[in-house]
Amino acid sequence: MARVDVIRVKGGARLAGDVVVGGAKNSALKLMAVALLAEGRSVVSNVPRITDIAIMAEVLRRLGCEVSLANGEAVIDVPTEPGSEADYDLVRRLRASICVLGPLLARRGYVRVALPGGDMIGSRGLDMHVSGLARMGAEISGEHGFVIASAPAGLRGTKIWLDFPSVGATENLLMAAVLAKGVTEIDNAAREPEIVDICQMLNAMGARIDGAGTSTLAVEGVDGPLKPVRHTTVGDRIVGGTWAFAAAMTRGDVTVHGVRPEFLDIALDKLVTAGATVEPGDNQFRVRMTERPKNVDIVTLPYPGFATDLLPMALGLAAVAEGASLITENIFDGRFMFVNEMVRLGADIRTDGHHAVVNGRERLSGAPVRATDIRAGAGLVIAGLCADGVTEVGEVHHIDRGYPDFVADLARLGVEVERTDVPEPTFDF
């Protein structure tokens, strides 16, 4: 009989203590792709031990790189001529692997990458990547589920306006532009700390990028080859924010190490509004809460706005707060998919389009629920800490993709928690 992993938590916990956050998943994956731009050995350190990193390592191996993962480091040896094709069987498991498109096009002049999740060219998923590369002189077509890009005469600098500050499009265009002829200006670029991290690694390799952290990036293409480097991944602000909300929801006292508090300014400010005390420090911060949280309205927006990845935690906070909160999601259409699971825990949530009205309750009630994505999974476990009885969260492979030591960290902070496997229900036909 097949068995599946679940996480069980006992409600009524109060989180207290210290937690160390590693490198940002959303940065480390892209930094590994950045390595493709320079022949030789690049080392990316502070890499989280999660499934997605292992998949990205395999993507690079199939492109001819030698990759080893150990002790929080990705050591990547890039050949003179890396391969130019990324297959569907890996790309479908890791949407972020589309970020090899820019660096391979820049270095090889030709690339064939499977479309993640069956996106068609022109759909919201990849249209900004494709139109930006086309403006730089790439010829782009799609066939048999692949996007094929070629630039036999090389890429050339140009002005690109992004309709939306897409992180993925900004990253791909940046990596392509560093070897293009002339200056590329990317307007309405994403401003996330992970973008700044990529710019810092590229500049250390010999690229010339101005404006990192602003909405206008100017990239002066370089003629000579870039050189391999050693780079340390920025701390994961989403994991740090998860622990901040968990501390507030459980009326706890948690110090988060490894994340710069300024990357979470708006999220931490919302916790202060809800009644928490926040003490920022050097690459760390402390969150304390003594009373039941007060209601707080939250709107997700591109950075530096409130991160969409923290929306499940915001809903959890609102579910146990005094009064009614309005939570608005502006980034992802499917972010409210997990609301039905929160309702199973007794949360009073009503959604209408991209708004959710949450009437807070003193306690939730433990129940079996399932994770629908990485952040929803973490959010459900933390909501379970504020519930009577035991909450069992299924489909926890989602959580593994973003939180390397989630169960161990919870236990260290005082939670009664276990990860176990249970029989998967079977049905006779």
Side-chain angles (χ1 to χ4, degrees), residues 25 27-36 44 47-48 50-69 74 76 86 90-91 93-101 103-104 171-172 175:
K25 162 183 115 83
S27 198
L29 290 167
K30 317 302 172 59
L31 296 170
M32 290 171 74
V34 167
L36 288 167
V44 181
V47 167
I50 53 175
T51 329
D52 283 11
I53 294 290
I55 298 171
M56 191 64 178
E58 188 56 31
V59 169
L60 295 180
R61 286 187 194 108
R62 293 201 196 172
L63 292 168
C65 303
E66 290 180 21
V67 186
S68 66
L69 300 173
I76 304 161
L90 286 175
V91 174
R93 293 175 61 197
L94 179 64
R95 189 180 175 82
S97 55
I98 196 70
C99 68
V100 301
L101 184 63
L104 287 178
E171 290 163 345
N172 251 329
M175 290 187 271

mmCIF file of all heavy atoms in Angstrom, residues 25 27-36 44 47-48 50-69 74 76 86 90-91 93-101 103-104 171-172 175:
data_model
loop_
_atom_site.group_PDB
_atom_site.id
_atom_site.type_symbol
_atom_site.label_atom_id
_atom_site.label_comp_id
_atom_site.label_asym_id
_atom_site.label_seq_id
_atom_site.Cartn_x
_atom_site.Cartn_y
_atom_site.Cartn_z
ATOM 1 N N LYS A 25 15.461 30.693 -1.771
ATOM 2 C CA LYS A 25 15.198 29.777 -2.884
ATOM 3 C C LYS A 25 15.110 30.554 -4.201
ATOM 4 O O LYS A 25 15.706 30.171 -5.206
ATOM 5 C CB LYS A 25 13.883 29.049 -2.605
ATOM 6 C CG LYS A 25 13.218 28.395 -3.791
ATOM 7 C CD LYS A 25 11.900 27.776 -3.364
ATOM 8 C CE LYS A 25 10.718 28.423 -4.016
ATOM 9 N NZ LYS A 25 10.428 27.934 -5.351
ATOM 10 N N SER A 27 16.370 33.199 -5.106
ATOM 11 C CA SER A 27 17.627 33.774 -5.561
ATOM 12 C C SER A 27 18.595 32.668 -5.989
ATOM 13 O O SER A 27 19.168 32.707 -7.079
ATOM 14 C CB SER A 27 18.254 34.614 -4.443
ATOM 15 O OG SER A 27 19.204 35.488 -4.957
ATOM 16 N N ALA A 28 18.759 31.661 -5.125
ATOM 17 C CA ALA A 28 19.752 30.609 -5.373
ATOM 18 C C ALA A 28 19.540 29.912 -6.719
ATOM 19 O O ALA A 28 20.491 29.652 -7.459
ATOM 20 C CB ALA A 28 19.721 29.588 -4.235
ATOM 21 N N LEU A 29 18.286 29.628 -7.052
ATOM 22 C CA LEU A 29 17.994 28.949 -8.323
ATOM 23 C C LEU A 29 18.488 29.769 -9.509
ATOM 24 O O LEU A 29 19.074 29.239 -10.459
ATOM 25 C CB LEU A 29 16.476 28.720 -8.457
ATOM 26 C CG LEU A 29 15.860 27.691 -7.514
ATOM 27 C CD1 LEU A 29 14.339 27.794 -7.539
ATOM 28 C CD2 LEU A 29 16.309 26.284 -7.889
ATOM 29 N N LYS A 30 18.278 31.080 -9.447
ATOM 30 C CA LYS A 30 18.663 31.953 -10.567
ATOM 31 C C LYS A 30 20.172 32.186 -10.594
ATOM 32 O O LYS A 30 20.779 32.323 -11.651
ATOM 33 C CB LYS A 30 17.913 33.282 -10.486
ATOM 34 C CG LYS A 30 16.432 33.173 -10.131
ATOM 35 C CD LYS A 30 15.647 32.319 -11.100
ATOM 36 C CE LYS A 30 14.228 32.060 -10.631
ATOM 37 N NZ LYS A 30 13.399 33.223 -10.410
ATOM 38 N N LEU A 31 20.796 32.241 -9.397
ATOM 39 C CA LEU A 31 22.254 32.403 -9.332
ATOM 40 C C LEU A 31 22.953 31.204 -9.974
ATOM 41 O O LEU A 31 24.011 31.341 -10.599
ATOM 42 C CB LEU A 31 22.712 32.571 -7.884
ATOM 43 C CG LEU A 31 22.196 33.826 -7.158
ATOM 44 C CD1 LEU A 31 22.514 33.752 -5.672
ATOM 45 C CD2 LEU A 31 22.791 35.102 -7.761
ATOM 46 N N MET A 32 22.352 30.023 -9.821
ATOM 47 C CA MET A 32 22.918 28.831 -10.467
ATOM 48 C C MET A 32 22.865 28.981 -11.992
ATOM 49 O O MET A 32 23.794 28.583 -12.706
ATOM 50 C CB MET A 32 22.166 27.577 -10.005
ATOM 51 C CG MET A 32 22.435 27.226 -8.544
ATOM 52 S SD MET A 32 21.357 25.916 -7.893
ATOM 53 C CE MET A 32 22.053 24.455 -8.703
ATOM 54 N N ALA A 33 21.794 29.595 -12.504
ATOM 55 C CA ALA A 33 21.696 29.839 -13.952
ATOM 56 C C ALA A 33 22.681 30.918 -14.395
ATOM 57 O O ALA A 33 23.257 30.837 -15.484
ATOM 58 C CB ALA A 33 20.264 30.254 -14.307
ATOM 59 N N VAL A 34 22.908 31.922 -13.540
ATOM 60 C CA VAL A 34 23.882 32.982 -13.844
ATOM 61 C C VAL A 34 25.259 32.380 -14.126
ATOM 62 O O VAL A 34 26.002 32.840 -15.007
ATOM 63 C CB VAL A 34 23.967 33.995 -12.670
ATOM 64 C CG1 VAL A 34 25.178 34.909 -12.817
ATOM 65 C CG2 VAL A 34 22.700 34.839 -12.592
ATOM 66 N N ALA A 35 25.601 31.300 -13.398
ATOM 67 C CA ALA A 35 26.906 30.658 -13.565
ATOM 68 C C ALA A 35 27.153 30.231 -15.007
ATOM 69 O O ALA A 35 28.305 30.151 -15.460
ATOM 70 C CB ALA A 35 27.028 29.452 -12.629
ATOM 71 N N LEU A 36 26.077 29.958 -15.769
ATOM 72 C CA LEU A 36 26.219 29.530 -17.167
ATOM 73 C C LEU A 36 26.934 30.570 -18.030
ATOM 74 O O LEU A 36 27.461 30.244 -19.090
ATOM 75 C CB LEU A 36 24.832 29.261 -17.782
ATOM 76 C CG LEU A 36 24.096 28.002 -17.319
ATOM 77 C CD1 LEU A 36 22.641 28.048 -17.766
ATOM 78 C CD2 LEU A 36 24.792 26.748 -17.861
ATOM 79 N N VAL A 44 28.173 28.972 -5.596
ATOM 80 C CA VAL A 44 27.078 29.717 -4.966
ATOM 81 C C VAL A 44 26.895 29.131 -3.564
ATOM 82 O O VAL A 44 26.584 27.948 -3.423
ATOM 83 C CB VAL A 44 25.768 29.603 -5.777
ATOM 84 C CG1 VAL A 44 24.664 30.423 -5.105
ATOM 85 C CG2 VAL A 44 25.979 30.070 -7.218
ATOM 86 N N VAL A 47 23.104 28.067 -0.043
ATOM 87 C CA VAL A 47 22.055 27.500 -0.890
ATOM 88 C C VAL A 47 21.157 26.612 -0.024
ATOM 89 O O VAL A 47 21.665 25.757 0.701
ATOM 90 C CB VAL A 47 22.700 26.683 -2.030
ATOM 91 C CG1 VAL A 47 21.670 25.828 -2.739
ATOM 92 C CG2 VAL A 47 23.390 27.605 -3.024
ATOM 93 N N PRO A 48 19.843 26.806 -0.072
ATOM 94 C CA PRO A 48 18.962 25.989 0.785
ATOM 95 C C PRO A 48 18.919 24.531 0.316
ATOM 96 O O PRO A 48 19.042 24.253 -0.882
ATOM 97 C CB PRO A 48 17.590 26.656 0.617
ATOM 98 C CG PRO A 48 17.648 27.355 -0.701
ATOM 99 C CD PRO A 48 19.085 27.765 -0.894
ATOM 100 N N ILE A 50 16.825 22.095 -0.566
ATOM 101 C CA ILE A 50 15.449 21.821 -0.961
ATOM 102 C C ILE A 50 15.444 21.119 -2.319
ATOM 103 O O ILE A 50 16.411 21.169 -3.072
ATOM 104 C CB ILE A 50 14.611 23.125 -1.041
ATOM 105 C CG1 ILE A 50 15.309 24.156 -1.944
ATOM 106 C CG2 ILE A 50 14.329 23.704 0.333
ATOM 107 C CD1 ILE A 50 14.517 25.427 -2.184
ATOM 108 N N THR A 51 14.301 20.480 -2.612
ATOM 109 C CA THR A 51 14.176 19.701 -3.845
ATOM 110 C C THR A 51 14.474 20.537 -5.087
ATOM 111 O O THR A 51 15.124 20.056 -6.023
ATOM 112 C CB THR A 51 12.722 19.170 -3.971
ATOM 113 O OG1 THR A 51 12.192 18.943 -2.671
ATOM 114 C CG2 THR A 51 12.639 17.915 -4.791
ATOM 115 N N ASP A 52 13.977 21.768 -5.123
ATOM 116 C CA ASP A 52 14.136 22.594 -6.326
ATOM 117 C C ASP A 52 15.606 22.805 -6.688
ATOM 118 O O ASP A 52 15.953 22.868 -7.872
ATOM 119 C CB ASP A 52 13.463 23.965 -6.120
ATOM 120 C CG ASP A 52 11.945 23.878 -6.263
ATOM 121 O OD1 ASP A 52 11.422 22.742 -6.310
ATOM 122 O OD2 ASP A 52 11.285 24.937 -6.323
ATOM 123 N N ILE A 53 16.464 22.932 -5.685
ATOM 124 C CA ILE A 53 17.900 23.127 -5.951
ATOM 125 C C ILE A 53 18.477 21.876 -6.616
ATOM 126 O O ILE A 53 19.272 21.963 -7.563
ATOM 127 C CB ILE A 53 18.654 23.452 -4.638
ATOM 128 C CG1 ILE A 53 18.197 24.816 -4.082
ATOM 129 C CG2 ILE A 53 20.169 23.416 -4.853
ATOM 130 C CD1 ILE A 53 18.631 26.034 -4.885
ATOM 131 N N ALA A 54 18.049 20.695 -6.148
ATOM 132 C CA ALA A 54 18.517 19.439 -6.747
ATOM 133 C C ALA A 54 18.059 19.322 -8.205
ATOM 134 O O ALA A 54 18.814 18.870 -9.069
ATOM 135 C CB ALA A 54 18.018 18.252 -5.934
ATOM 136 N N ILE A 55 16.824 19.775 -8.485
ATOM 137 C CA ILE A 55 16.327 19.726 -9.866
ATOM 138 C C ILE A 55 17.124 20.690 -10.747
ATOM 139 O O ILE A 55 17.521 20.360 -11.867
ATOM 140 C CB ILE A 55 14.818 20.059 -9.927
ATOM 141 C CG1 ILE A 55 14.016 19.021 -9.133
ATOM 142 C CG2 ILE A 55 14.327 20.107 -11.370
ATOM 143 C CD1 ILE A 55 12.545 19.395 -8.951
ATOM 144 N N MET A 56 17.385 21.901 -10.224
ATOM 145 C CA MET A 56 18.160 22.883 -10.997
ATOM 146 C C MET A 56 19.564 22.354 -11.280
ATOM 147 O O MET A 56 20.104 22.557 -12.381
ATOM 148 C CB MET A 56 18.235 24.211 -10.234
ATOM 149 C CG MET A 56 18.784 25.358 -11.075
ATOM 150 S SD MET A 56 17.686 25.728 -12.468
ATOM 151 C CE MET A 56 18.542 27.094 -13.201
ATOM 152 N N ALA A 57 20.156 21.660 -10.305
ATOM 153 C CA ALA A 57 21.482 21.070 -10.510
ATOM 154 C C ALA A 57 21.434 20.081 -11.670
ATOM 155 O O ALA A 57 22.348 20.031 -12.510
ATOM 156 C CB ALA A 57 21.952 20.377 -9.236
ATOM 157 N N GLU A 58 20.355 19.309 -11.760
ATOM 158 C CA GLU A 58 20.219 18.331 -12.842
ATOM 159 C C GLU A 58 20.002 19.020 -14.188
ATOM 160 O O GLU A 58 20.526 18.578 -15.215
ATOM 161 C CB GLU A 58 19.068 17.359 -12.533
ATOM 162 C CG GLU A 58 18.942 16.190 -13.489
ATOM 163 C CD GLU A 58 20.207 15.353 -13.621
ATOM 164 O OE1 GLU A 58 20.982 15.244 -12.641
ATOM 165 O OE2 GLU A 58 20.439 14.812 -14.726
ATOM 166 N N VAL A 59 19.255 20.138 -14.197
ATOM 167 C CA VAL A 59 19.093 20.926 -15.434
ATOM 168 C C VAL A 59 20.473 21.337 -15.954
ATOM 169 O O VAL A 59 20.787 21.197 -17.144
ATOM 170 C CB VAL A 59 18.220 22.186 -15.181
ATOM 171 C CG1 VAL A 59 18.262 23.143 -16.372
ATOM 172 C CG2 VAL A 59 16.778 21.787 -14.876
ATOM 173 N N LEU A 60 21.332 21.836 -15.040
ATOM 174 C CA LEU A 60 22.668 22.293 -15.439
ATOM 175 C C LEU A 60 23.549 21.121 -15.894
ATOM 176 O O LEU A 60 24.322 21.249 -16.845
ATOM 177 C CB LEU A 60 23.336 23.050 -14.285
ATOM 178 C CG LEU A 60 22.652 24.363 -13.864
ATOM 179 C CD1 LEU A 60 23.406 25.016 -12.704
ATOM 180 C CD2 LEU A 60 22.556 25.341 -15.022
ATOM 181 N N ARG A 61 23.411 19.976 -15.206
ATOM 182 C CA ARG A 61 24.206 18.796 -15.629
ATOM 183 C C ARG A 61 23.858 18.400 -17.051
ATOM 184 O O ARG A 61 24.730 18.062 -17.843
ATOM 185 C CB ARG A 61 23.953 17.628 -14.672
ATOM 186 C CG ARG A 61 24.621 17.795 -13.304
ATOM 187 C CD ARG A 61 24.499 16.541 -12.451
ATOM 188 N NE ARG A 61 24.855 16.853 -11.064
ATOM 189 C CZ ARG A 61 23.997 16.928 -10.056
ATOM 190 N NH1 ARG A 61 22.689 16.679 -10.263
ATOM 191 N NH2 ARG A 61 24.404 17.229 -8.833
ATOM 192 N N ARG A 62 22.582 18.442 -17.375
ATOM 193 C CA ARG A 62 22.170 18.051 -18.734
ATOM 194 C C ARG A 62 22.619 19.064 -19.781
ATOM 195 O O ARG A 62 22.592 18.783 -20.968
ATOM 196 C CB ARG A 62 20.661 17.847 -18.793
ATOM 197 C CG ARG A 62 20.221 16.652 -17.967
ATOM 198 C CD ARG A 62 18.881 16.131 -18.394
ATOM 199 N NE ARG A 62 18.327 15.250 -17.386
ATOM 200 C CZ ARG A 62 17.098 14.769 -17.407
ATOM 201 N NH1 ARG A 62 16.276 15.117 -18.395
ATOM 202 N NH2 ARG A 62 16.656 13.966 -16.456
ATOM 203 N N LEU A 63 23.009 20.244 -19.313
ATOM 204 C CA LEU A 63 23.581 21.248 -20.225
ATOM 205 C C LEU A 63 25.102 21.111 -20.305
ATOM 206 O O LEU A 63 25.778 21.956 -20.886
ATOM 207 C CB LEU A 63 23.201 22.659 -19.746
ATOM 208 C CG LEU A 63 21.714 23.013 -19.862
ATOM 209 C CD1 LEU A 63 21.394 24.296 -19.100
ATOM 210 C CD2 LEU A 63 21.291 23.139 -21.330
ATOM 211 N N GLY A 64 25.639 20.048 -19.681
ATOM 212 C CA GLY A 64 27.080 19.778 -19.787
ATOM 213 C C GLY A 64 27.904 20.268 -18.617
ATOM 214 O O GLY A 64 29.128 20.154 -18.623
ATOM 215 N N CYS A 65 27.269 20.835 -17.593
ATOM 216 C CA CYS A 65 28.013 21.319 -16.422
ATOM 217 C C CYS A 65 28.250 20.164 -15.438
ATOM 218 O O CYS A 65 27.487 19.196 -15.398
ATOM 219 C CB CYS A 65 27.227 22.409 -15.694
ATOM 220 S SG CYS A 65 26.799 23.832 -16.721
ATOM 221 N N GLU A 66 29.295 20.300 -14.651
ATOM 222 C CA GLU A 66 29.472 19.415 -13.501
ATOM 223 C C GLU A 66 29.002 20.184 -12.274
ATOM 224 O O GLU A 66 29.437 21.310 -12.042
ATOM 225 C CB GLU A 66 30.951 19.013 -13.345
ATOM 226 C CG GLU A 66 31.451 18.083 -14.433
ATOM 227 C CD GLU A 66 32.914 17.711 -14.250
ATOM 228 O OE1 GLU A 66 33.423 17.841 -13.113
ATOM 229 O OE2 GLU A 66 33.553 17.328 -15.244
ATOM 230 N N VAL A 67 28.106 19.574 -11.514
ATOM 231 C CA VAL A 67 27.519 20.279 -10.365
ATOM 232 C C VAL A 67 27.578 19.382 -9.141
ATOM 233 O O VAL A 67 27.181 18.219 -9.193
ATOM 234 C CB VAL A 67 26.038 20.662 -10.628
ATOM 235 C CG1 VAL A 67 25.506 21.514 -9.478
ATOM 236 C CG2 VAL A 67 25.881 21.389 -11.950
ATOM 237 N N SER A 68 28.095 19.936 -8.032
ATOM 238 C CA SER A 68 28.023 19.198 -6.760
ATOM 239 C C SER A 68 27.341 20.080 -5.729
ATOM 240 O O SER A 68 27.550 21.299 -5.698
ATOM 241 C CB SER A 68 29.416 18.781 -6.289
ATOM 242 O OG SER A 68 30.184 19.923 -5.969
ATOM 243 N N LEU A 69 26.508 19.447 -4.902
ATOM 244 C CA LEU A 69 25.780 20.150 -3.839
ATOM 245 C C LEU A 69 26.201 19.553 -2.510
ATOM 246 O O LEU A 69 25.993 18.361 -2.272
ATOM 247 C CB LEU A 69 24.267 19.976 -4.015
ATOM 248 C CG LEU A 69 23.638 20.487 -5.319
ATOM 249 C CD1 LEU A 69 22.170 20.078 -5.395
ATOM 250 C CD2 LEU A 69 23.770 22.000 -5.429
ATOM 251 N N ALA A 74 26.647 25.202 -3.909
ATOM 252 C CA ALA A 74 26.524 24.624 -5.249
ATOM 253 C C ALA A 74 27.805 24.975 -5.995
ATOM 254 O O ALA A 74 28.090 26.153 -6.232
ATOM 255 C CB ALA A 74 25.313 25.197 -5.971
ATOM 256 N N ILE A 76 29.664 24.718 -9.412
ATOM 257 C CA ILE A 76 29.224 24.538 -10.797
ATOM 258 C C ILE A 76 30.405 24.759 -11.736
ATOM 259 O O ILE A 76 30.968 25.856 -11.806
ATOM 260 C CB ILE A 76 28.093 25.535 -11.141
ATOM 261 C CG1 ILE A 76 26.935 25.384 -10.143
ATOM 262 C CG2 ILE A 76 27.597 25.328 -12.569
ATOM 263 C CD1 ILE A 76 25.996 26.566 -10.081
ATOM 264 N N ALA A 86 16.873 22.531 -22.820
ATOM 265 C CA ALA A 86 16.357 22.115 -21.510
ATOM 266 C C ALA A 86 15.059 21.349 -21.733
ATOM 267 O O ALA A 86 14.106 21.885 -22.288
ATOM 268 C CB ALA A 86 16.110 23.332 -20.628
ATOM 269 N N LEU A 90 12.256 17.994 -16.867
ATOM 270 C CA LEU A 90 12.775 18.771 -15.733
ATOM 271 C C LEU A 90 12.084 20.126 -15.620
ATOM 272 O O LEU A 90 11.753 20.568 -14.518
ATOM 273 C CB LEU A 90 14.281 18.969 -15.875
ATOM 274 C CG LEU A 90 15.137 17.723 -15.591
ATOM 275 C CD1 LEU A 90 16.593 18.010 -15.885
ATOM 276 C CD2 LEU A 90 14.971 17.262 -14.148
ATOM 277 N N VAL A 91 11.863 20.788 -16.749
ATOM 278 C CA VAL A 91 11.270 22.126 -16.713
ATOM 279 C C VAL A 91 9.865 22.079 -16.106
ATOM 280 O O VAL A 91 9.458 22.976 -15.366
ATOM 281 C CB VAL A 91 11.238 22.755 -18.125
ATOM 282 C CG1 VAL A 91 10.491 24.086 -18.126
ATOM 283 C CG2 VAL A 91 12.653 22.961 -18.645
ATOM 284 N N ARG A 93 8.874 20.271 -13.740
ATOM 285 C CA ARG A 93 8.963 20.122 -12.288
ATOM 286 C C ARG A 93 9.489 21.380 -11.622
ATOM 287 O O ARG A 93 9.404 21.530 -10.405
ATOM 288 C CB ARG A 93 9.885 18.939 -11.940
ATOM 289 C CG ARG A 93 9.315 17.589 -12.351
ATOM 290 C CD ARG A 93 10.304 16.475 -12.113
ATOM 291 N NE ARG A 93 10.651 16.359 -10.704
ATOM 292 C CZ ARG A 93 11.721 15.697 -10.273
ATOM 293 N NH1 ARG A 93 12.550 15.118 -11.127
ATOM 294 N NH2 ARG A 93 11.968 15.614 -8.980
ATOM 295 N N LEU A 94 10.087 22.264 -12.407
ATOM 296 C CA LEU A 94 10.688 23.470 -11.836
ATOM 297 C C LEU A 94 10.529 24.621 -12.810
ATOM 298 O O LEU A 94 11.317 24.782 -13.736
ATOM 299 C CB LEU A 94 12.180 23.219 -11.550
ATOM 300 C CG LEU A 94 12.944 24.411 -10.980
ATOM 301 C CD1 LEU A 94 12.411 24.793 -9.614
ATOM 302 C CD2 LEU A 94 14.426 24.091 -10.883
ATOM 303 N N ARG A 95 9.501 25.409 -12.573
ATOM 304 C CA ARG A 95 9.207 26.524 -13.478
ATOM 305 C C ARG A 95 10.402 27.475 -13.594
ATOM 306 O O ARG A 95 10.662 28.045 -14.641
ATOM 307 C CB ARG A 95 7.974 27.267 -12.948
ATOM 308 C CG ARG A 95 7.469 28.273 -13.910
ATOM 309 C CD ARG A 95 6.248 29.011 -13.405
ATOM 310 N NE ARG A 95 5.940 30.050 -14.382
ATOM 311 C CZ ARG A 95 5.271 29.840 -15.495
ATOM 312 N NH1 ARG A 95 4.818 28.652 -15.776
ATOM 313 N NH2 ARG A 95 5.046 30.827 -16.344
ATOM 314 N N ALA A 96 11.163 27.602 -12.494
ATOM 315 C CA ALA A 96 12.298 28.536 -12.480
ATOM 316 C C ALA A 96 13.374 28.161 -13.494
ATOM 317 O O ALA A 96 14.213 28.988 -13.839
ATOM 318 C CB ALA A 96 12.915 28.586 -11.080
ATOM 319 N N SER A 97 13.352 26.902 -13.994
ATOM 320 C CA SER A 97 14.409 26.509 -14.939
ATOM 321 C C SER A 97 14.284 27.229 -16.279
ATOM 322 O O SER A 97 15.198 27.186 -17.096
ATOM 323 C CB SER A 97 14.425 24.990 -15.135
ATOM 324 O OG SER A 97 13.160 24.526 -15.534
ATOM 325 N N ILE A 98 13.162 27.956 -16.508
ATOM 326 C CA ILE A 98 13.042 28.764 -17.721
ATOM 327 C C ILE A 98 14.105 29.866 -17.730
ATOM 328 O O ILE A 98 14.426 30.436 -18.765
ATOM 329 C CB ILE A 98 11.616 29.358 -17.850
ATOM 330 C CG1 ILE A 98 11.354 29.870 -19.267
ATOM 331 C CG2 ILE A 98 11.369 30.457 -16.832
ATOM 332 C CD1 ILE A 98 11.229 28.807 -20.309
ATOM 333 N N CYS A 99 14.699 30.147 -16.541
ATOM 334 C CA CYS A 99 15.693 31.223 -16.458
ATOM 335 C C CYS A 99 17.020 30.856 -17.129
ATOM 336 O O CYS A 99 17.923 31.685 -17.170
ATOM 337 C CB CYS A 99 15.928 31.651 -15.012
ATOM 338 S SG CYS A 99 16.732 30.387 -14.037
ATOM 339 N N VAL A 100 17.171 29.635 -17.675
ATOM 340 C CA VAL A 100 18.382 29.338 -18.461
ATOM 341 C C VAL A 100 18.262 29.931 -19.863
ATOM 342 O O VAL A 100 19.245 29.994 -20.603
ATOM 343 C CB VAL A 100 18.671 27.814 -18.546
ATOM 344 C CG1 VAL A 100 18.854 27.225 -17.148
ATOM 345 C CG2 VAL A 100 17.582 27.061 -19.312
ATOM 346 N N LEU A 101 17.072 30.386 -20.241
ATOM 347 C CA LEU A 101 16.837 30.930 -21.578
ATOM 348 C C LEU A 101 17.763 32.112 -21.891
ATOM 349 O O LEU A 101 18.458 32.123 -22.911
ATOM 350 C CB LEU A 101 15.366 31.361 -21.679
ATOM 351 C CG LEU A 101 14.835 31.875 -23.014
ATOM 352 C CD1 LEU A 101 14.907 30.812 -24.081
ATOM 353 C CD2 LEU A 101 13.376 32.349 -22.850
ATOM 354 N N PRO A 103 20.685 33.372 -20.288
ATOM 355 C CA PRO A 103 22.131 33.167 -20.335
ATOM 356 C C PRO A 103 22.590 32.268 -21.489
ATOM 357 O O PRO A 103 23.635 32.515 -22.095
ATOM 358 C CB PRO A 103 22.462 32.537 -18.974
ATOM 359 C CG PRO A 103 21.174 32.072 -18.404
ATOM 360 C CD PRO A 103 20.111 32.942 -19.005
ATOM 361 N N LEU A 104 21.800 31.242 -21.829
ATOM 362 C CA LEU A 104 22.213 30.357 -22.931
ATOM 363 C C LEU A 104 22.110 31.062 -24.279
ATOM 364 O O LEU A 104 22.970 30.889 -25.145
ATOM 365 C CB LEU A 104 21.369 29.079 -22.942
ATOM 366 C CG LEU A 104 21.666 28.079 -21.825
ATOM 367 C CD1 LEU A 104 20.730 26.885 -21.914
ATOM 368 C CD2 LEU A 104 23.123 27.603 -21.878
ATOM 369 N N GLU A 171 14.865 38.886 -14.764
ATOM 370 C CA GLU A 171 16.059 38.046 -14.625
ATOM 371 C C GLU A 171 16.560 37.549 -15.976
ATOM 372 O O GLU A 171 17.756 37.644 -16.277
ATOM 373 C CB GLU A 171 15.726 36.847 -13.720
ATOM 374 C CG GLU A 171 15.529 37.244 -12.274
ATOM 375 C CD GLU A 171 14.802 36.190 -11.452
ATOM 376 O OE1 GLU A 171 14.188 35.260 -12.030
ATOM 377 O OE2 GLU A 171 14.844 36.299 -10.213
ATOM 378 N N ASN A 172 15.664 37.023 -16.802
ATOM 379 C CA ASN A 172 16.079 36.499 -18.096
ATOM 380 C C ASN A 172 16.668 37.592 -18.983
ATOM 381 O O ASN A 172 17.698 37.397 -19.641
ATOM 382 C CB ASN A 172 14.887 35.839 -18.809
ATOM 383 C CG ASN A 172 15.016 34.329 -18.865
ATOM 384 O OD1 ASN A 172 16.127 33.796 -18.925
ATOM 385 N ND2 ASN A 172 13.892 33.639 -18.857
ATOM 386 N N MET A 175 20.177 38.684 -17.739
ATOM 387 C CA MET A 175 21.240 37.710 -18.056
ATOM 388 C C MET A 175 21.570 37.707 -19.539
ATOM 389 O O MET A 175 22.707 37.476 -19.926
ATOM 390 C CB MET A 175 20.839 36.317 -17.561
ATOM 391 C CG MET A 175 20.847 36.195 -16.046
ATOM 392 S SD MET A 175 20.579 34.507 -15.452
ATOM 393 C CE MET A 175 18.802 34.450 -15.333
#
